[in-house]
Amino acid sequence: MNQKHFWMPGFLFLLLGIGTANAQTYVIIDVPGAGNGKGQGSFPQNVTDSGVIFGNYVDASGVMHGFIRSPAGSYTKFNVSGAGTGNGQGTEPVSINLFGTITGIYIDSNNVTHGFIRTAEGNITTFDAPGAGTGAGQGTLSYNINLWGEIGGYYFDSVNRGHGFLRSPYGSFTTFEGPGAGTGPIQGTGSAAGDGLNVEGAIAGAIIDDNNVLHGYFRQPDGTFVVIDAPGAGTGPGQGTDTDGINAEYLVPGPYYDSNGAIHGYIRFPDGTITEFDVPRAGTAASQGTLPEVFNLRGEVSGPYIDANNVSHGFIRSPNGSITTFDAPGAGTGNGQGTVPGGLNFGGDISGNYIDANNANHGFLRIP
């Protein structure tokens, strides 16, 4: 249920080494009340530097609920008032700041999406971006919160076109369109999720043009755009460059999709140079490959890679280019199963979920 990218459908190897982790501790996270059927279970979104884990769990009826797990292992569960109680509806936290304030989305009984803010004390405010549609599959996707309480995301309007927004801590909105954004359904401007808004107010995401090609971007605090196209990115529908987020130094990692639909990782550095990378065991067919999801202030990048059998495995790439791969204990080895990292803190702790042999989801925390 994690939604890191706007679109989910070169080849310069700077890897100085690859290894398989053999000295780590795993904590399995099964939120009380999580279902154990296909597509159900626990979905940690991220882990903070203090060890707090948050995310959502899906119950036996397919409804999403928010949770916060303390470093000691106790759980706080919550639902936004107005969240639907049907399959695929409910509450999904996405981003947290240093004060413990969470933002995310909830999906109502009509399958319309809305944004929410939850303070560390448990107070919840809901909101909708101006211009957000009110039909099924439309609405507001609140995906990022920074230190100052500024929120970034995007919304789908009444014709299902995406538009970016920034919400001030006082509730006012700035909406924006990326250069070259398409005007058709499921085109337009989106944002990365979780780490897509830095402390200075720069927001990263992806633009989908009129040909359904992705282009990464970040929008600077003064409103100017920098467009990112990885050298190996394809130029056909569903291909191109996405982003994972942006840090205070304007480092931007993300995936790109080549002309065959395979996925590769890249990092754009503040000077504009781009390094592309692949986990050596990653598959090379469409929807296989290397999928960076998260990064930390040390310049480490983590995420899943998908092998030739469509099984997901975890990786972490160090700033020197070396890559360590890993699998959570209990992860399945069948098509669509495996290990899916989704969070990374400064200490190198990785959170995520794994899909077991029965296609149920379990959270994990990997401590190096």
Side-chain angles (χ1 to χ4, degrees):
M1 305 301 284
N2 292 340
Q3 303 178 43
K4 293 288 185 182
H5 303 288
F6 186 37
W7 183 287
M8 287 295 296
F11 314 123
L12 175 63
F13 291 96
L14 295 180
L15 308 183
L16 303 182
I18 182 166
T20 300
N22 55 16
Q24 67 273 320
T25 300
Y26 285 90
V27 177
I28 305 305
I29 300 168
D30 286 312
V31 182
N36 56 17
K38 182 177 181 180
Q40 300 170 3
S42 301
F43 298 84
Q45 179 70 26
N46 211 337
V47 54
T48 69
D49 292 340
S50 63
V52 173
I53 296 170
F54 74 100
N56 75 86
Y57 68 94
V58 178
D59 67 21
S61 298
V63 182
M64 296 182 292
H65 310 268
F67 78 87
I68 303 166
R69 181 187 184 274
S70 76
S74 62
Y75 289 92
T76 299
K77 301 189 288 185
F78 66 93
N79 296 292
V80 177
S81 177
T85 58
N87 185 29
Q89 299 170 357
T91 301
E92 183 178 3
V94 181
S95 184
I96 193 170
N97 68 12
L98 290 176
F99 296 112
T101 302
I102 290 172
T103 195
I105 64 171
Y106 69 96
I107 301 172
D108 68 22
S109 59
N110 296 312
N111 294 309
V112 181
T113 304
H114 311 268
F116 76 86
I117 305 162
R118 182 189 186 276
T119 67
E121 296 75 27
N123 300 314
I124 294 177
T125 300
T126 62
F127 65 90
D128 294 291
T134 57
Q138 299 170 359
T140 301
L141 291 86
S142 180
Y143 273 178
N144 303 280
I145 186 167
N146 67 13
L147 180 65
W148 316 118
E150 190 176 21
I151 289 173
Y154 62 104
Y155 66 91
F156 285 109
D157 63 20
S158 60
V159 296
N160 299 309
R161 183 189 180 206
H163 311 264
F165 75 83
L166 290 168
R167 181 187 185 275
S168 81
Y170 308 104
S172 62
F173 283 84
T174 299
T175 60
F176 59 88
E177 314 295 337
T183 59
I186 319 302
Q187 297 174 352
T189 305
S191 76
D195 298 311
L197 180 66
N198 74 10
V199 69
E200 297 177 7
I203 186 169
I207 298 158
I208 299 180
D209 66 23
D210 285 321
N211 296 311
N212 293 314
V213 181
L214 289 89
H215 308 272
Y217 77 86
F218 62 88
R219 179 186 184 272
Q220 302 181 96
D222 65 0
T224 60
F225 284 84
V226 175
V227 176
I228 304 169
D229 288 306
T235 58
Q239 300 168 7
T241 304
D242 203 348
T243 68
D244 280 324
I246 185 168
N247 71 8
E249 286 75 40
Y250 287 75
L251 181 145
V252 179
Y256 72 87
Y257 303 81
D258 68 20
S259 58
N260 296 313
I263 313 166
H264 311 267
Y266 78 88
I267 300 171
R268 183 193 186 276
F269 294 92
D271 64 0
T273 59
I274 293 176
T275 295
E276 301 176 357
F277 68 94
D278 292 286
V279 177
R281 299 185 183 94
T284 58
S287 300
Q288 298 174 357
T290 301
L291 184 58
E293 288 278 23
V294 287
F295 58 101
N296 63 17
L297 292 175
R298 295 167 58 180
E300 295 173 317
V301 177
S302 182
Y305 73 92
I306 303 161
D307 67 22
N309 296 314
N310 297 310
V311 180
S312 295
H313 312 267
F315 78 87
I316 183 168
R317 180 188 188 275
S318 74
N320 70 8
S322 63
I323 291 179
T324 298
T325 63
F326 60 92
D327 294 287
T333 58
N335 188 346
Q337 299 171 357
T339 302
V340 186
L344 175 65
N345 68 13
F346 185 80
D349 299 334
I350 298 172
S351 62
N353 66 286
Y354 69 88
I355 302 101
D356 67 19
N358 296 314
N359 296 306
N361 291 269
H362 310 267
F364 73 85
L365 176 66
R366 176 187 180 270
I367 304 170

